[in-house]
Amino acid sequence: MARIYVSSTKADLEAERAAVLDWIARRHDEPVHSYVANTDTVRDSCLADVATCDAYVLLIASRYGTTAAEPNPEGRSITELEYEAALRKPGMRIVVLLVEYVSDPRLTDLRNKAVYGKLLDFRERVGAAHRPAQIDTLAELIPALEAALAAAVPRDPLADPEVQKIITRLTAQSVHKDERIEALTHENSELKAQLAAAISRTLGAAAAPGATAAQVGAAAAMRAGDTAPAQALLRGEEQAATDAALASDNPEAERAARRRAAGLARERGALAMQTDVAAAMEAFQEAAAHDPTDAWNGFFLGDMHVAVGDLAAAQAAYLAVHDQVAARAAAKPQSDDAARDLAASYNRIGAVRVAQGDLPSALSAFEADLAIAERLAARDPANTQWQRDLSVSHNKIGDVRVAQGDLPAALSTFEASLAIAERLAARDPANTEWQRDLSVSHNRIGAVRVAQGDLPAALSAFKASLAIAERLAARDPANTEWQRDLSVSHDRFGDVRAAQGDLPAALSAFEASLAIRERLAARDPANTEWQRDLSVSHDRIGDVRVAQGDLPAALSAFEASLAIRERLAARDPANTEWQRDLSVSHDRIGDVRVKHGDLPAALSAFEASLAIRERLATRDPANAQWRIDVAVSCSRFGTLPDLSSDTRLAHLRRGLGILDELAAAGRLPPNQDSRDWFKKRLKG
């Protein structure tokens, strides 16, 4: 998060200043500015504030501004002195915007020749030094500012390798290991940006001249995986901002302080999520209380409710934000920010509907999001962010269509997304985010083609994705996300080859994936996601070895997977995903033991798997998948020759009964309906 000083005269540029300050805050940077041009009290504090900032934005119109108090032999305005202070700071990024229109001639210096001469000299001076953007209408202001700051102040702390390293460490050692929390941290780009901003703020404060012992210590602790000191510092800054808001009698200053407090609370919440979900929830609630007008505070609060599984609370939070942004969008139909916030509300409501299993409602929400994205993209085809938003909207609808089983509609939607991704990637081949988006689009189309049984088309899509993943991974071998993407591409390619019966090609792809995952897992043994990926690679190789008839090699692969999963399950017995993985490993080993003829060892493996599955099903009887898993275990016992006929029949009856109950409740997915198999075995 950058501190950006906004300098301008106030009386003639009040609307422009408010727009700039608001936009910088929404950019999740920290706007800094003077509030009243009182030469006796403000001059020194303004110049000191400039020195603490990372960037300086100067708006100049037709007013020179208040002349600063002595010592000021040249009679310069506070605005010009602020500019000089910015020039003196090494590394200061300076952005200048020349406001060429006049809102109110009475607020200009056009009739004061002496002062107007100083203004012209000032404009000429900054114009020669900085190539300022010329603003002819208020509507041009924010787009020009956005373009200038994008070049002058890169705002993505995720690009910092040290920030990435700390994020990886924090998420890997998260104590709760709830898969929903992990998914939120990994997949929610806005929340991940807050985490990165908090890390960047902590590291930057420690590196700044005059850093306190507490700031240096917080950075050192964070590098070691302890965010508590950083959270304490953020809370202190948040309290200071809150106090400033309460003490201020200037509405503009109060709003700025509340926005700052909300931003600090969001960053604190992102850090707290890694160790204390309750503290994270409290932080996001406080952010929403500090600044209820910022829709993103409500979005983050809803995201946290999703993460802890409280979909009703998440829905309530998103609907409240939706009402707020819908009213703002209706009042300001030309506001792009209001439209994007409204689209974001539809997007999140749709995601909750998906999680609740209400696919028609989810589709309706995503289609509303798409309609807004289409309007924005059509309004400005050159705006790449809006084009990307449109691509993502198509993907959301495609995912729902897949879940509904409407594969032709899903394919059509994914192809629309692909077309946008291809245009963006072709426009800037060096943009790695767009290249990765293109790879993901190919993967989605490939998955649909697999589901349709069109394996050649699926293979073509996965090849295209793999080629992009290989280029990205080669470009930066240290980028672990791109390395993992490459391993996943190898897996998808291998899956199709296996389905086509080309087992050597499938094995080669899976071994390439395994090699990457072994390197990642060795690089950071504490990263549980990478450990789980490694176990999956061993499973895939084991499956191919079974199909090739190489049972010893298959058993070796499955046992390697089992060893990893035993460690993960022991590390966190409450992690249901890892427990289920462990049950699958026992099943695979049992299947190989059966083929080997080692029935006692097979029985032992199947019993271990069933014990896990029964515990999971008892823990949450409403979880249909866990009950289906128990039925799958029953199918294995029902065909095991080492058991008595009565025992086998009892297992088969139990498995069929589970599936019948789920089917009667409408909770048995068609692709997992194996009741005919059970009936056939019971008749035989």
Side-chain angles (χ1 to χ4, degrees):
M1 174 178 286
R3 282 173 58 86
I4 301 175
Y5 194 93
V6 178
S7 177
S8 76
T9 52
K10 188 171 187 297
D12 60 325
L13 293 175
E14 191 163 4
E16 289 78 1
R17 281 173 62 87
V20 168
L21 292 167
D22 183 69
W23 184 83
I24 290 173
R26 288 180 178 277
R27 189 182 189 257
H28 301 304
D29 285 324
E30 180 181 352
V32 181
H33 62 113
S34 59
Y35 307 120
V36 181
N38 182 321
T39 62
D40 294 327
T41 60
V42 172
R43 167 184 162 153
D44 290 341
S45 64
C46 287
L47 302 187
D49 283 344
V50 172
T52 68
C53 291
D54 308 295
Y56 173 88
V57 174
L58 173 62
L59 284 75
I60 308 181
S62 300
R63 186 182 180 90
Y64 184 56
T66 303
T67 301
E70 297 296 337
N72 183 16
E74 297 180 0
R76 289 180 175 165
S77 67
I78 288 179
T79 304
E80 189 166 7
L81 291 178
E82 288 172 346
Y83 170 69
E84 290 177 351
L87 290 177
R88 288 194 296 270
K89 181 178 178 182
M92 175 71 83
R93 279 72 58 86
I94 297 177
V95 169
V96 180
L97 304 175
L98 295 181
V99 179
E100 301 290 10
Y101 60 91
V102 175
S103 299
D104 187 343
R106 295 171 299 176
L107 300 177
T108 71
D109 290 325
L110 295 174
R111 297 181 180 180
N112 188 329
K113 291 183 179 181
V115 176
Y116 192 66
K118 290 183 178 182
L119 172 65
L120 292 179
D121 290 341
F122 186 25
R123 286 170 64 100
E124 183 177 353
R125 178 185 180 193
V126 298
H130 303 291
R131 293 185 181 179
Q134 293 189 341
I135 311 301
D136 294 318
T137 66
L138 182 59
E140 296 175 8
L141 177 64
I142 296 305
L145 175 65
E146 182 174 10
L149 280 180
V153 190
R155 65 182 179 96
D156 185 10
L158 288 168
D160 183 338
E162 185 172 18
V163 171
Q164 290 182 350
K165 182 178 179 180
I166 292 174
I167 287 176
T168 298
R169 176 161 194 163
L170 294 178
T171 54
Q173 68 183 29
S174 176
V175 297
H176 44 72
K177 282 300 168 192
D178 186 297
E179 56 264 31
R180 292 170 301 198
I181 299 291
E182 290 192 56
L184 182 61
T185 303
H186 285 290
E187 298 170 11
N188 187 315
S189 59
E190 294 91 356
L191 182 59
K192 196 170 184 179
Q194 293 296 308
L195 178 59
I199 295 169
S200 182
R201 180 190 295 277
T202 302
L203 299 180
T212 65
Q215 290 170 327
V216 173
M222 181 174 283
R223 290 185 178 97
D226 179 8
T227 66
Q231 291 181 53
L233 289 177
L234 287 170
R235 183 181 283 280
E237 291 185 55
E238 179 188 342
Q239 185 60 53
T242 302
D243 292 344
L246 293 172
S248 176
D249 57 2
N250 183 293
E252 186 178 339
E254 181 183 354
R255 284 193 297 271
R258 290 195 180 281
R259 284 195 297 265
R260 173 170 167 75
L264 292 164
R266 287 195 299 265
E267 291 181 20
R268 180 164 57 84
L271 288 177
M273 269 189 63
Q274 311 310 314
T275 55
D276 188 341
V277 177
M281 180 72 77
E282 177 191 10
F284 289 120
Q285 288 171 335
E286 289 177 1
H290 288 317
D291 187 6
T293 66
D294 188 335
W296 285 95
N297 291 329
F299 287 148
F300 286 131
L301 183 58
D303 293 345
M304 275 302 302
H305 287 305
V306 170
V308 299
D310 191 345
L311 296 180
Q315 178 175 282
Y318 293 150
L319 289 173
V321 177
H322 172 78
D323 291 343
Q324 172 187 333
V325 297
R328 184 157 58 89
K332 299 180 178 180
Q334 299 305 312
S335 170
D336 298 334
D337 285 343
R340 287 195 74 197
D341 286 350
L342 181 58
S345 73
Y346 281 123
N347 200 327
R348 280 169 161 77
I349 290 169
V352 169
R353 300 296 195 199
V354 168
Q356 292 172 327
D358 187 352
L359 296 182
S361 294
L363 185 61
S364 177
F366 289 143
E367 286 175 339
D369 167 41
L370 176 66
I372 296 171
E374 287 177 328
R375 286 199 304 272
L376 290 173
R379 182 183 302 174
D380 184 3
N383 188 311
T384 55
Q385 182 59 56
W386 293 352
Q387 294 295 324
R388 186 174 185 270
D389 289 348
L390 179 57
S391 173
V392 171
S393 294
H394 282 301
N395 282 338
K396 296 285 188 181
I397 290 176
D399 290 340
V400 173
R401 292 298 192 188
V402 168
Q404 290 178 321
D406 189 348
L407 298 182
L411 183 61
S412 176
T413 305
F414 288 147
E415 286 175 338
S417 177
L418 175 67
I420 297 170
E422 286 178 326
R423 288 196 299 271
L424 290 175
R427 175 173 180 164
D428 183 4
N431 187 310
T432 56
E433 181 182 32
W434 294 348
Q435 294 294 325
R436 188 171 185 270
D437 287 346
L438 180 57
S439 175
V440 170
S441 284
H442 284 302
N443 275 340
R444 276 187 158 95
I445 288 174
V448 172
R449 293 298 193 186
V450 167
Q452 290 178 321
D454 188 349
L455 297 183
L459 189 64
S460 176
F462 290 143
K463 274 184 178 179
S465 177
L466 176 62
I468 297 169
E470 286 176 328
R471 288 197 299 271
L472 290 175
R475 175 173 179 165
D476 183 4
N479 188 310
T480 56
E481 182 178 31
W482 294 349
Q483 294 295 323
R484 185 175 184 272
D485 285 347
L486 179 56
S487 74
V488 171
S489 287
H490 282 303
D491 277 351
R492 292 180 183 276
F493 187 80
D495 287 341
V496 175
R497 286 302 195 191
Q500 290 176 321
D502 189 348
L503 298 182
L507 183 61
S508 176
F510 293 148
E511 287 176 338
S513 175
L514 175 68
I516 295 169
R517 290 172 174 179
E518 285 178 327
R519 290 195 298 271
L520 291 175
R523 176 174 178 168
D524 183 3
N527 188 309
T528 55
E529 180 183 31
W530 294 348
Q531 293 293 326
R532 184 176 185 273
D533 286 347
L534 182 56
S535 75
V536 171
S537 284
H538 284 302
D539 277 351
R540 280 186 158 92
I541 289 174
D543 289 340
V544 173
R545 292 301 191 186
V546 168
Q548 289 178 323
D550 188 349
L551 298 183
L555 185 61
S556 177
F558 290 145
E559 287 177 337
S561 176
L562 175 67
I564 295 170
R565 290 172 174 177
E566 286 178 327
R567 290 195 299 270
L568 291 175
R571 176 173 176 166
D572 183 4
N575 187 306
T576 56
E577 181 183 27
W578 294 349
Q579 294 295 325
R580 185 173 186 271
D581 286 346
L582 182 56
S583 76
V584 171
S585 283
H586 283 302
D587 268 358
R588 280 188 159 96
I589 288 175
D591 290 339
V592 174
R593 293 296 191 188
V594 169
K595 293 179 183 293
H596 260 306
D598 188 350
L599 299 183
L603 178 61
S604 177
F606 291 149
E607 286 174 340
S609 175
L610 178 60
I612 295 169
R613 291 171 172 178
E614 287 179 327
R615 286 198 300 272
L616 290 175
T618 300
R619 175 176 176 170
D620 184 4
N623 189 307
Q625 184 58 60
W626 293 347
R627 297 190 66 198
I628 292 170
D629 287 345
V630 173
V632 170
S633 285
C634 290
S635 72
R636 283 181 162 84
F637 285 106
T639 56
L640 195 62
D642 215 30
L643 298 178
S644 68
S645 175
D646 287 345
T647 301
R648 291 198 302 272
L649 289 173
H651 281 293
L652 291 173
R653 292 190 189 100
R654 182 188 180 193
L656 178 60
I658 291 171
L659 298 183
D660 280 338
E661 287 179 15
L662 291 172
R667 298 171 57 217
L668 181 62
N671 64 340
Q672 297 190 74
D673 186 355
S674 56
R675 287 178 293 168
D676 288 344
W677 181 92
F678 278 97
K679 292 174 182 177
K680 182 177 179 180
R681 297 302 182 282
L682 285 168
K683 287 181 180 178

